[in-house]
Amino acid sequence: MKNLMLSLIVTVISACTHSSHGNHSTSAAIEKGEMGGTHYAFRSKTYFMGQPTVATLDEAKKQGVTTVINLRTEEENKSADYNAVVETKKRGLNYYSFPIDSREPLSKDKLAQIETAYMSHHKKGEKVIVHCASGQRVGAWFAYHIRTTHGESSEQALREAEAVGLSSTQLIEQVKRAIQ
């Protein structure tokens, strides 16, 4: 009986220490799926995706998402099937827009602004969507997040960004310069 109790206590303590620190390392599982017609990568209460649909916003609200961070440019937003500001607000979601133009060099200032908005909700345990058109710029921001907030190496930050969708050679080179 004592061995059973000791085993149970060790198991509970082990589970608590592994679940409470919110590790973002590559050992953290990345869930891939689809929400309202939009493919995503999910980890640590964060959905990484391309442009969400209105159905995605509806499903996100049902899944407990509180915040949408949009990295698309104004030009891209105008080509969407809906007004992102109106549709997110209609669902009671927080909305941030930090346009990143992939034709211009990545701005550390812009990445820091995204990080501040993201962390203001993530620290409270809220679910957040970070999106652009295809997920590339989202991956670029995620590399910055892993490097600056979690102190991982540039190489590790890039591996993690690639795991959530960063694959553009040109953008990877910009990310390398931004996170060195």
Side-chain angles (χ1 to χ4, degrees):
M1 187 65 159
K2 283 183 183 179
N3 286 341
L4 179 61
M5 287 299 284
L6 182 58
S7 177
L8 181 60
I9 290 169
V10 168
T11 301
V12 169
I13 290 171
S14 176
C16 289
T17 59
H18 285 94
S19 66
S20 64
H21 55 73
N23 189 350
H24 285 271
S25 73
T26 52
S27 62
I30 297 172
E31 174 189 325
K32 299 216 175 190
E34 186 179 322
M35 180 189 311
T38 305
H39 294 280
Y40 65 81
F42 177 81
R43 75 198 251 176
S44 188
K45 298 188 183 220
T46 306
Y47 291 93
F48 306 90
M49 63 176 62
Q51 177 62 39
T53 64
V54 172
T56 304
L57 296 176
D58 288 337
E59 184 62 27
K61 178 70 175 174
K62 290 177 191 172
Q63 296 296 325
V65 169
T66 64
T67 303
V68 175
I69 300 175
N70 180 1
L71 307 185
R72 290 167 40 116
T73 64
E74 282 303 311
E75 184 178 301
E76 289 175 298
N77 288 331
K78 289 177 184 173
S79 70
D81 295 339
Y82 64 92
N83 182 310
V85 175
V86 170
E87 294 299 328
T88 53
K89 296 291 183 184
K90 191 186 295 184
R91 287 157 181 78
L93 301 171
N94 301 302
Y95 179 81
Y96 297 90
S97 177
F98 297 103
I100 295 178
D101 190 331
S102 58
R103 298 168 294 192
E104 298 175 6
L106 274 177
S107 160
K108 284 186 180 181
D109 289 339
K110 180 76 59 91
L111 293 170
Q113 291 171 354
I114 298 163
E115 185 68 10
T116 298
Y118 171 77
M119 290 305 293
S120 72
H121 296 279
H122 183 70
K123 281 182 177 179
K124 294 187 261 183
E126 297 176 11
K127 289 183 181 177
V128 178
I129 288 176
V130 184
H131 80 86
C132 57
S134 66
Q136 294 290 328
R137 290 166 282 180
V138 169
W141 161 76
F142 191 56
Y144 176 87
H145 169 76
I146 293 298
R147 178 79 175 111
T148 60
T149 301
H150 296 282
E152 296 288 347
S153 69
S154 296
E155 294 78 18
Q156 180 67 23
L158 280 168
R159 279 193 296 275
E160 298 212 25
E162 290 169 354
V164 299
L166 178 63
S167 63
S168 163
T169 306
Q170 178 185 1
L171 195 51
I172 289 170
E173 289 306 313
Q174 288 189 42
V175 170
K176 284 178 182 178
R177 287 189 291 277
I179 65 174
Q180 293 300 336

